Amino acid sequence: MNSHDQSIESTDGTRLVVRRLGVGDPVVLVHGSGGGLHSWAAVAEHLAHEHEVWLPARRGYGPSDVPAGTKSFRDETADLIAVTESARRSSGRPVHLVGASYGATAALHTVLADPRPVRSLAVFEPPLFAAGAEIAPPLERYRAAFDRDDAAAMAAALNDVTRVPAEVVAAIAASAGDRVPDPVEARRSAVGWLHDLEALAQDSTDISRWSSIAVPTLLMAGADTWEPMPTTMATLAATIPAARYLVWPGQSHFVTMTAPTLVADALRQFFAEAPPL
């Protein structure tokens, strides 16, 4: 399906590149760490038959701007409010806001700050356990490895944050085989991860703050994702009033890539059941 890219300016002048495709009620898909314009592509293709899909590259991830200074979730929130407002103005209709992983945390912050442009919220496995002071040591290790372009040391620092089990890390490495990452894309991802870690280090692990979210909310998770994500998601489901909680058997934290049709179908059904405008 045809798409086109446009720029949206955030409140501090940061330029955000957004990819748009499809026609219908607007959906904003927010990517996780290490992602970009491509992250939701497979899901977006399914949704675009019935929805106008907006795919922003978050600040810190090219082709959007990479501002100097330390990033925070205040920046992410301002950016997503700018994107959702643009989508709302363009269509005349409020937005279905969807986030995966770190992008889900950013979406939660955004709805808490300003729910007005948002018709519904869907989040997949936000890493709410990975925040605050405990992120500072791996952040500094990552920064040092980033400065010397040491990919292995960067990956090791990230594993301390994401808590991916060693066997999963090994399986991912084995599946990659001899393929060498594109150096430009790898560096773009590394830059984005650095800024995301900065925001996480300033954030809180307090899940109770999300209890005031009142928009229709869908929580999504994979049954095979490792702890502490399942416990985190169960706590979040008990915290947001009337949130719907969907757990996919046989899926893990990578479901948006491994089973995009499953994700798109769940989102389409959720959007269709949202209260009428």
Side-chain angles (χ1 to χ4, degrees), residues 32-57:
S33 295
L37 290 175
H38 62 282
S39 297
W40 282 97
V43 174
E45 285 289 339
H46 290 291
L47 293 178
H49 297 289
E50 302 169 19
H51 296 277
E52 181 181 65
V53 183
W54 294 56
L55 303 163

PDB file of all heavy atoms in Angstrom, residues 32-57:
ATOM      1  N   GLY A  32       9.183   0.745  19.646  1.00  0.00           N
ATOM      2  CA  GLY A  32      10.001   0.543  20.826  1.00  0.00           C
ATOM      3  C   GLY A  32      11.446   0.924  20.605  1.00  0.00           C
ATOM      4  O   GLY A  32      11.821   1.517  19.571  1.00  0.00           O
ATOM      5  N   SER A  33      12.295   0.572  21.560  1.00  0.00           N
ATOM      6  CA  SER A  33      13.720   0.908  21.473  1.00  0.00           C
ATOM      7  C   SER A  33      14.386   0.099  20.364  1.00  0.00           C
ATOM      8  O   SER A  33      14.067  -1.065  20.135  1.00  0.00           O
ATOM      9  CB  SER A  33      14.408   0.606  22.804  1.00  0.00           C
ATOM     10  OG  SER A  33      13.904   1.451  23.823  1.00  0.00           O
ATOM     11  N   GLY A  34      15.315   0.765  19.681  1.00  0.00           N
ATOM     12  CA  GLY A  34      16.015   0.126  18.582  1.00  0.00           C
ATOM     13  C   GLY A  34      15.222   0.083  17.295  1.00  0.00           C
ATOM     14  O   GLY A  34      15.644  -0.525  16.317  1.00  0.00           O
ATOM     15  N   GLY A  35      14.047   0.728  17.269  1.00  0.00           N
ATOM     16  CA  GLY A  35      13.166   0.653  16.111  1.00  0.00           C
ATOM     17  C   GLY A  35      13.245   1.874  15.218  1.00  0.00           C
ATOM     18  O   GLY A  35      14.258   2.567  15.150  1.00  0.00           O
ATOM     19  N   GLY A  36      12.135   2.159  14.549  1.00  0.00           N
ATOM     20  CA  GLY A  36      12.085   3.287  13.635  1.00  0.00           C
ATOM     21  C   GLY A  36      10.842   3.221  12.770  1.00  0.00           C
ATOM     22  O   GLY A  36       9.853   2.564  13.129  1.00  0.00           O
ATOM     23  N   LEU A  37      10.885   3.873  11.635  1.00  0.00           N
ATOM     24  CA  LEU A  37       9.727   3.934  10.742  1.00  0.00           C
ATOM     25  C   LEU A  37       9.258   2.546  10.309  1.00  0.00           C
ATOM     26  O   LEU A  37       8.084   2.343   9.997  1.00  0.00           O
ATOM     27  CB  LEU A  37      10.073   4.757   9.495  1.00  0.00           C
ATOM     28  CG  LEU A  37      10.264   6.261   9.686  1.00  0.00           C
ATOM     29  CD1 LEU A  37      10.715   6.896   8.382  1.00  0.00           C
ATOM     30  CD2 LEU A  37       8.987   6.922  10.184  1.00  0.00           C
ATOM     31  N   HIS A  38      10.172   1.585  10.297  1.00  0.00           N
ATOM     32  CA  HIS A  38       9.869   0.245   9.789  1.00  0.00           C
ATOM     33  C   HIS A  38       9.242  -0.671  10.836  1.00  0.00           C
ATOM     34  O   HIS A  38       8.711  -1.730  10.491  1.00  0.00           O
ATOM     35  CB  HIS A  38      11.161  -0.407   9.316  1.00  0.00           C
ATOM     36  CG  HIS A  38      12.167  -0.585  10.425  1.00  0.00           C
ATOM     37  ND1 HIS A  38      12.930   0.475  10.890  1.00  0.00           N
ATOM     38  CD2 HIS A  38      12.500  -1.661  11.187  1.00  0.00           C
ATOM     39  CE1 HIS A  38      13.698   0.045  11.881  1.00  0.00           C
ATOM     40  NE2 HIS A  38      13.447  -1.237  12.080  1.00  0.00           N
ATOM     41  N   SER A  39       9.308  -0.300  12.116  1.00  0.00           N
ATOM     42  CA  SER A  39       9.036  -1.256  13.187  1.00  0.00           C
ATOM     43  C   SER A  39       7.641  -1.875  13.128  1.00  0.00           C
ATOM     44  O   SER A  39       7.470  -3.061  13.380  1.00  0.00           O
ATOM     45  CB  SER A  39       9.240  -0.590  14.546  1.00  0.00           C
ATOM     46  OG  SER A  39      10.572  -0.177  14.717  1.00  0.00           O
ATOM     47  N   TRP A  40       6.643  -1.070  12.818  1.00  0.00           N
ATOM     48  CA  TRP A  40       5.271  -1.541  12.789  1.00  0.00           C
ATOM     49  C   TRP A  40       4.804  -1.858  11.364  1.00  0.00           C
ATOM     50  O   TRP A  40       3.606  -2.042  11.140  1.00  0.00           O
ATOM     51  CB  TRP A  40       4.344  -0.489  13.370  1.00  0.00           C
ATOM     52  CG  TRP A  40       4.298  -0.366  14.860  1.00  0.00           C
ATOM     53  CD1 TRP A  40       4.980   0.518  15.638  1.00  0.00           C
ATOM     54  CD2 TRP A  40       3.488  -1.133  15.760  1.00  0.00           C
ATOM     55  NE1 TRP A  40       4.645   0.357  16.959  1.00  0.00           N
ATOM     56  CE2 TRP A  40       3.731  -0.647  17.073  1.00  0.00           C
ATOM     57  CE3 TRP A  40       2.575  -2.190  15.591  1.00  0.00           C
ATOM     58  CZ2 TRP A  40       3.090  -1.178  18.193  1.00  0.00           C
ATOM     59  CZ3 TRP A  40       1.938  -2.713  16.704  1.00  0.00           C
ATOM     60  CH2 TRP A  40       2.203  -2.212  17.988  1.00  0.00           C
ATOM     61  N   ALA A  41       5.710  -1.920  10.409  1.00  0.00           N
ATOM     62  CA  ALA A  41       5.317  -1.971   8.990  1.00  0.00           C
ATOM     63  C   ALA A  41       4.362  -3.115   8.679  1.00  0.00           C
ATOM     64  O   ALA A  41       3.353  -2.929   7.982  1.00  0.00           O
ATOM     65  CB  ALA A  41       6.561  -2.063   8.110  1.00  0.00           C
ATOM     66  N   ALA A  42       4.660  -4.322   9.187  1.00  0.00           N
ATOM     67  CA  ALA A  42       3.822  -5.475   8.848  1.00  0.00           C
ATOM     68  C   ALA A  42       2.423  -5.334   9.435  1.00  0.00           C
ATOM     69  O   ALA A  42       1.423  -5.664   8.779  1.00  0.00           O
ATOM     70  CB  ALA A  42       4.486  -6.766   9.335  1.00  0.00           C
ATOM     71  N   VAL A  43       2.323  -4.849  10.668  1.00  0.00           N
ATOM     72  CA  VAL A  43       1.019  -4.617  11.288  1.00  0.00           C
ATOM     73  C   VAL A  43       0.288  -3.490  10.564  1.00  0.00           C
ATOM     74  O   VAL A  43      -0.915  -3.574  10.294  1.00  0.00           O
ATOM     75  CB  VAL A  43       1.177  -4.290  12.784  1.00  0.00           C
ATOM     76  CG1 VAL A  43      -0.170  -3.913  13.402  1.00  0.00           C
ATOM     77  CG2 VAL A  43       1.800  -5.464  13.534  1.00  0.00           C
ATOM     78  N   ALA A  44       1.021  -2.432  10.230  1.00  0.00           N
ATOM     79  CA  ALA A  44       0.412  -1.274   9.575  1.00  0.00           C
ATOM     80  C   ALA A  44      -0.217  -1.643   8.239  1.00  0.00           C
ATOM     81  O   ALA A  44      -1.292  -1.138   7.885  1.00  0.00           O
ATOM     82  CB  ALA A  44       1.461  -0.176   9.375  1.00  0.00           C
ATOM     83  N   GLU A  45       0.429  -2.529   7.484  1.00  0.00           N
ATOM     84  CA  GLU A  45      -0.116  -2.935   6.184  1.00  0.00           C
ATOM     85  C   GLU A  45      -1.493  -3.573   6.352  1.00  0.00           C
ATOM     86  O   GLU A  45      -2.386  -3.372   5.529  1.00  0.00           O
ATOM     87  CB  GLU A  45       0.845  -3.910   5.501  1.00  0.00           C
ATOM     88  CG  GLU A  45       2.091  -3.248   4.920  1.00  0.00           C
ATOM     89  CD  GLU A  45       1.795  -2.413   3.684  1.00  0.00           C
ATOM     90  OE1 GLU A  45       0.750  -2.638   3.042  1.00  0.00           O
ATOM     91  OE2 GLU A  45       2.613  -1.533   3.364  1.00  0.00           O
ATOM     92  N   HIS A  46      -1.677  -4.345   7.417  1.00  0.00           N
ATOM     93  CA  HIS A  46      -2.974  -4.970   7.674  1.00  0.00           C
ATOM     94  C   HIS A  46      -4.007  -3.935   8.105  1.00  0.00           C
ATOM     95  O   HIS A  46      -5.168  -4.009   7.697  1.00  0.00           O
ATOM     96  CB  HIS A  46      -2.836  -6.043   8.751  1.00  0.00           C
ATOM     97  CG  HIS A  46      -2.073  -7.261   8.321  1.00  0.00           C
ATOM     98  ND1 HIS A  46      -2.557  -8.159   7.394  1.00  0.00           N
ATOM     99  CD2 HIS A  46      -0.854  -7.726   8.688  1.00  0.00           C
ATOM    100  CE1 HIS A  46      -1.674  -9.129   7.209  1.00  0.00           C
ATOM    101  NE2 HIS A  46      -0.631  -8.883   7.979  1.00  0.00           N
ATOM    102  N   LEU A  47      -3.598  -2.995   8.934  1.00  0.00           N
ATOM    103  CA  LEU A  47      -4.541  -2.008   9.456  1.00  0.00           C
ATOM    104  C   LEU A  47      -4.950  -0.978   8.412  1.00  0.00           C
ATOM    105  O   LEU A  47      -6.036  -0.394   8.486  1.00  0.00           O
ATOM    106  CB  LEU A  47      -3.932  -1.283  10.658  1.00  0.00           C
ATOM    107  CG  LEU A  47      -3.699  -2.105  11.926  1.00  0.00           C
ATOM    108  CD1 LEU A  47      -3.037  -1.232  12.989  1.00  0.00           C
ATOM    109  CD2 LEU A  47      -5.007  -2.685  12.454  1.00  0.00           C
ATOM    110  N   ALA A  48      -4.063  -0.723   7.445  1.00  0.00           N
ATOM    111  CA  ALA A  48      -4.262   0.389   6.517  1.00  0.00           C
ATOM    112  C   ALA A  48      -5.440   0.189   5.565  1.00  0.00           C
ATOM    113  O   ALA A  48      -5.847   1.137   4.888  1.00  0.00           O
ATOM    114  CB  ALA A  48      -2.983   0.639   5.716  1.00  0.00           C
ATOM    115  N   HIS A  49      -5.996  -1.003   5.513  1.00  0.00           N
ATOM    116  CA  HIS A  49      -7.177  -1.215   4.679  1.00  0.00           C
ATOM    117  C   HIS A  49      -8.409  -0.535   5.267  1.00  0.00           C
ATOM    118  O   HIS A  49      -9.369  -0.243   4.551  1.00  0.00           O
ATOM    119  CB  HIS A  49      -7.431  -2.720   4.502  1.00  0.00           C
ATOM    120  CG  HIS A  49      -6.326  -3.436   3.791  1.00  0.00           C
ATOM    121  ND1 HIS A  49      -6.078  -3.279   2.443  1.00  0.00           N
ATOM    122  CD2 HIS A  49      -5.379  -4.294   4.257  1.00  0.00           C
ATOM    123  CE1 HIS A  49      -5.034  -4.019   2.099  1.00  0.00           C
ATOM    124  NE2 HIS A  49      -4.598  -4.638   3.187  1.00  0.00           N
ATOM    125  N   GLU A  50      -8.383  -0.297   6.585  1.00  0.00           N
ATOM    126  CA  GLU A  50      -9.540   0.299   7.251  1.00  0.00           C
ATOM    127  C   GLU A  50      -9.199   1.558   8.045  1.00  0.00           C
ATOM    128  O   GLU A  50     -10.107   2.221   8.544  1.00  0.00           O
ATOM    129  CB  GLU A  50     -10.171  -0.723   8.204  1.00  0.00           C
ATOM    130  CG  GLU A  50     -10.618  -2.009   7.530  1.00  0.00           C
ATOM    131  CD  GLU A  50     -10.979  -3.078   8.543  1.00  0.00           C
ATOM    132  OE1 GLU A  50     -11.228  -2.730   9.714  1.00  0.00           O
ATOM    133  OE2 GLU A  50     -11.002  -4.264   8.160  1.00  0.00           O
ATOM    134  N   HIS A  51      -7.929   1.872   8.184  1.00  0.00           N
ATOM    135  CA  HIS A  51      -7.503   2.980   9.033  1.00  0.00           C
ATOM    136  C   HIS A  51      -6.408   3.801   8.358  1.00  0.00           C
ATOM    137  O   HIS A  51      -5.640   3.279   7.542  1.00  0.00           O
ATOM    138  CB  HIS A  51      -6.977   2.455  10.372  1.00  0.00           C
ATOM    139  CG  HIS A  51      -8.005   1.769  11.201  1.00  0.00           C
ATOM    140  ND1 HIS A  51      -8.887   2.456  12.009  1.00  0.00           N
ATOM    141  CD2 HIS A  51      -8.314   0.464  11.342  1.00  0.00           C
ATOM    142  CE1 HIS A  51      -9.686   1.599  12.611  1.00  0.00           C
ATOM    143  NE2 HIS A  51      -9.360   0.382  12.228  1.00  0.00           N
ATOM    144  N   GLU A  52      -6.347   5.079   8.734  1.00  0.00           N
ATOM    145  CA  GLU A  52      -5.205   5.900   8.357  1.00  0.00           C
ATOM    146  C   GLU A  52      -4.140   5.705   9.447  1.00  0.00           C
ATOM    147  O   GLU A  52      -4.363   6.062  10.601  1.00  0.00           O
ATOM    148  CB  GLU A  52      -5.588   7.371   8.267  1.00  0.00           C
ATOM    149  CG  GLU A  52      -4.418   8.253   7.847  1.00  0.00           C
ATOM    150  CD  GLU A  52      -4.799   9.723   7.792  1.00  0.00           C
ATOM    151  OE1 GLU A  52      -5.108  10.289   8.852  1.00  0.00           O
ATOM    152  OE2 GLU A  52      -4.792  10.282   6.686  1.00  0.00           O
ATOM    153  N   VAL A  53      -3.026   5.114   9.059  1.00  0.00           N
ATOM    154  CA  VAL A  53      -1.999   4.728  10.022  1.00  0.00           C
ATOM    155  C   VAL A  53      -0.855   5.736   9.999  1.00  0.00           C
ATOM    156  O   VAL A  53      -0.332   6.072   8.926  1.00  0.00           O
ATOM    157  CB  VAL A  53      -1.467   3.315   9.718  1.00  0.00           C
ATOM    158  CG1 VAL A  53      -0.453   2.891  10.782  1.00  0.00           C
ATOM    159  CG2 VAL A  53      -2.616   2.307   9.664  1.00  0.00           C
ATOM    160  N   TRP A  54      -0.474   6.199  11.180  1.00  0.00           N
ATOM    161  CA  TRP A  54       0.625   7.148  11.349  1.00  0.00           C
ATOM    162  C   TRP A  54       1.760   6.432  12.082  1.00  0.00           C
ATOM    163  O   TRP A  54       1.549   5.890  13.172  1.00  0.00           O
ATOM    164  CB  TRP A  54       0.168   8.355  12.160  1.00  0.00           C
ATOM    165  CG  TRP A  54      -0.865   9.222  11.481  1.00  0.00           C
ATOM    166  CD1 TRP A  54      -2.085   8.832  10.992  1.00  0.00           C
ATOM    167  CD2 TRP A  54      -0.775  10.619  11.230  1.00  0.00           C
ATOM    168  NE1 TRP A  54      -2.751   9.897  10.452  1.00  0.00           N
ATOM    169  CE2 TRP A  54      -1.960  11.011  10.582  1.00  0.00           C
ATOM    170  CE3 TRP A  54       0.197  11.582  11.488  1.00  0.00           C
ATOM    171  CZ2 TRP A  54      -2.217  12.315  10.186  1.00  0.00           C
ATOM    172  CZ3 TRP A  54      -0.056  12.897  11.107  1.00  0.00           C
ATOM    173  CH2 TRP A  54      -1.240  13.264  10.451  1.00  0.00           C
ATOM    174  N   LEU A  55       2.940   6.446  11.477  1.00  0.00           N
ATOM    175  CA  LEU A  55       4.098   5.753  12.025  1.00  0.00           C
ATOM    176  C   LEU A  55       5.218   6.762  12.295  1.00  0.00           C
ATOM    177  O   LEU A  55       6.033   7.049  11.428  1.00  0.00           O
ATOM    178  CB  LEU A  55       4.607   4.687  11.046  1.00  0.00           C
ATOM    179  CG  LEU A  55       3.605   3.622  10.609  1.00  0.00           C
ATOM    180  CD1 LEU A  55       4.096   2.902   9.355  1.00  0.00           C
ATOM    181  CD2 LEU A  55       3.387   2.632  11.728  1.00  0.00           C
ATOM    182  N   PRO A  56       5.279   7.334  13.491  1.00  0.00           N
ATOM    183  CA  PRO A  56       6.350   8.297  13.770  1.00  0.00           C
ATOM    184  C   PRO A  56       7.665   7.602  14.111  1.00  0.00           C
ATOM    185  O   PRO A  56       7.673   6.547  14.761  1.00  0.00           O
ATOM    186  CB  PRO A  56       5.812   9.066  14.988  1.00  0.00           C
ATOM    187  CG  PRO A  56       4.908   8.087  15.679  1.00  0.00           C
ATOM    188  CD  PRO A  56       4.310   7.220  14.610  1.00  0.00           C
ATOM    189  N   ALA A  57       8.761   8.191  13.650  1.00  0.00           N
ATOM    190  CA  ALA A  57      10.078   7.825  14.179  1.00  0.00           C
ATOM    191  C   ALA A  57      10.316   8.724  15.380  1.00  0.00           C
ATOM    192  O   ALA A  57      10.329   9.953  15.256  1.00  0.00           O
ATOM    193  CB  ALA A  57      11.161   8.028  13.126  1.00  0.00           C
TER     194      ALA A  57
END
